[in-house]
Amino acid sequence: MKQDPKESGPGGAESPAAPAWLKEAAAALENELVKQYGEGQRARIQRGLKQISGFWRASDGDRQVFDEFVRKHFAGDQASVDTMFGRFESLLEPSFGHMGEISRELRQQTDLDAGPVQPYDEIFAGYNPSAHLIDDFFENKLAFVVLLNFPLTTLDERLKEGEKWSRRQWAETRLAGYFSKRIPAGVNLAISKASAEADQYIAEYNIWMHHLTDDQGRRLFPAQMRLLSHWNLRDEIKADYQDTENGLAKQRMIQKVMEHIVDQTIPAAVINNPQADWNPFTNEVMPAAEKDSDFAPAGKPAANTPEPNTRYLRLLETYRASRLVDPYSPTAPTLIARRFDEDREIPEERVEKLFEQVLTSPLVPRMAALIQKRLGRPLEPFDIWYNGFRPKTKYSEAELDAMVARKYPSAKAYQQDIPAMLRTLGFPAARAEFIAENIVVDPARGSGHAMGAAMRQAKAHLRTRVEKTGMNYKGFNIAVHEMGHNVEQTLSLNAIDYYSLNGVPNTAFTEALAFVFQAQDLQLLGLQSPGSQAKALKALNDFWATYEICGVSLVDMRVWHWMYDNPEATPEQLRDAVLRISKEIWNRFYAPVFHQKDVVLLGIYSHMIHSFLYLPDYPIGHMIAFQLEEHMEKAGKIGPEFERVARQGRIAPDLWMKGATGSPVGPEALLAAAESALSVVR
Ligand SMILES: [Zn+2]
């Protein structure tokens, strides 16, 4: 199950197509350059020659071209290295930055709530203008200039030696890292296409809730309620804990809906269609007996035909596209290795251990008993989304919706309020203005997302779902989360010392920083400032949410291993594997406290379908968020510390966390807080 990344460093081996003369040429050049620049440069010369030899192909030029290239572009003294480093920093920024802008513009119609998506819009969205960029930089040899002069490093080196590196050394490592792979443009295009198709599939996967009926023909949900799978469905389960009358019936119904989505017995006719009624218990479909929308999608098949495993076809296609990269990524030859060794920079085995530390914690049965006591009934599977530890507000979901809709009738109204929200979070006024000026708010087609800029002159975009009646509370809660991303994106790009260090170590960190914001959503509405009881409740809420998402993530990880082990699988076989894996993880870590076996709910997350093994970032994010929240609480206010930690940039994860809080990444802070909270909350 585990990947075994090759021990040799990147560029350590010659490429399969390496010309026969390469070794001899490199040896001769080493002697020549040492003579010219002195013995002190030998290590740099050896490293540079080894690195470019790893990528040089016959089509890049013959021995004479190679010799001349090395003589011309080796920077043999510190002043030349400084000039070169500065030039690449200042020219890569607009190169990556403008490509990012083109890409964002071309996705506008599919990403934003801007009317119907035409078939050609999907082609625009699937086009990635930077697909050729790195390849072009190999063709014109700019990549070779970098690889000749700056160090590629392995995860192992970064983990062992990175602590001693200066900021500049980290920046040089990241600069070289841009060119650690030479992936053909066609492969990148295939990935963009599979990704855009999966995104589109997920973005329109709505369930029209008023059209769900139970055995008595009752409609439990209000007219026009349209919930996107899985985010809105899951969040509706959470909200239903407050509905003492029909909450439980609604939750059981949503669980049924989710199970039909996961096992693909859902009738195709009821997906994003308000013209059909559906009883998810009997799985019967009828023409809608009540009308709450004129929306009538074309091409819906006859009533009970199930969705034809499209969910798993989309996932398989993201896998097939990812696999095309493998031959061009010798040090991380699977998407799994690229995710863990390169993106997360935390080895998969360590991540799995962190998750199991949470899943097998003796706090789990104590939590389960407490939840059962509070609910006054045995746990049911959907209680993995129990959120009754949220500090009680005086306001119902409906009141919150009304309050938010009044405050934010449009995306623009939210945008105008960003400086005030940031001041509430403790950012100094001038800083709040600076950050807000770099964020644009757009109405999203899906549930919302944050899109950072890749150059200082561009802006980060906050995409949030705004209904015709204004923003609702769920949308606001997500918008605050996305705003956390945007603030991090702005500070770690616009306020950093080296462009190559822009960003955070990996996506789990940007998630963690987004959670720090999201946790303040009620405070941002001016509703309450959390006290010590609220803090304990929050610790329990975080612990239970982490427990849930650790299992979801393990499913995602095992499904990707299964796809790699079964490269010829059909969508049907993949569906069966997902069902089996979901049940296995459930039976091992959840059934002991839920007392029900073979539940498939862990397979419902949409990320599993369109996000290329992204889910493990969430539990890591929860752990990190907890570490950071604790830290910021000690600091007194969020703003200045948020900026300080964000400005560390893209150094190694554990190093970043030590710089922020004094400890490496781990669940200890969360577990300790949950344990002490358990003695406070009854
Ligand atoms: Zn996020």
Side-chain angles (χ1 to χ4, degrees), residues 450 481-482 485 510-511 514-515 614 618:
H481 174 96
E482 305 304 342
H485 284 306
T510 185
E511 287 306 333
F515 284 132
Y614 181 83
Y618 283 108

Side-chain angles (χ1 to χ4, degrees), residues 74 78 107 114 133 166 243 264 292 363 407 463 472 519 544 630 677:
F74 181 72
Q78 194 55 42
R107 294 180 57 97
L133 189 67
S166 66
D243 178 350
Q264 290 285 280
D292 64 344
L363 299 178
K407 207 168 176 192
R463 269 70 188 273
N472 60 28
W544 196 245
E630 292 276 280

Side-chain angles (χ1 to χ4, degrees), residues 165-196:
W165 293 348
S166 66
R167 297 282 297 170
R168 166 73 181 264
Q169 277 177 296
W170 268 103
E172 289 189 4
T173 293
R174 295 311 193 195
L175 171 60
Y178 288 132
F179 305 104
S180 64
K181 289 185 193 60
R182 192 179 187 181
I183 300 167
V187 170
N188 281 325
L189 270 174
I191 290 173
S192 301
K193 186 168 174 286
S195 174

Side-chain angles (χ1 to χ4, degrees), residues 56 58 105 131 219 291 310 320 351 365 396 582 651 674:
W56 197 279
E105 296 270 6
R219 292 169 199 275
K291 191 177 171 88
T310 314
R320 287 170 186 154
V351 170
S396 69
S582 300
I651 54 175

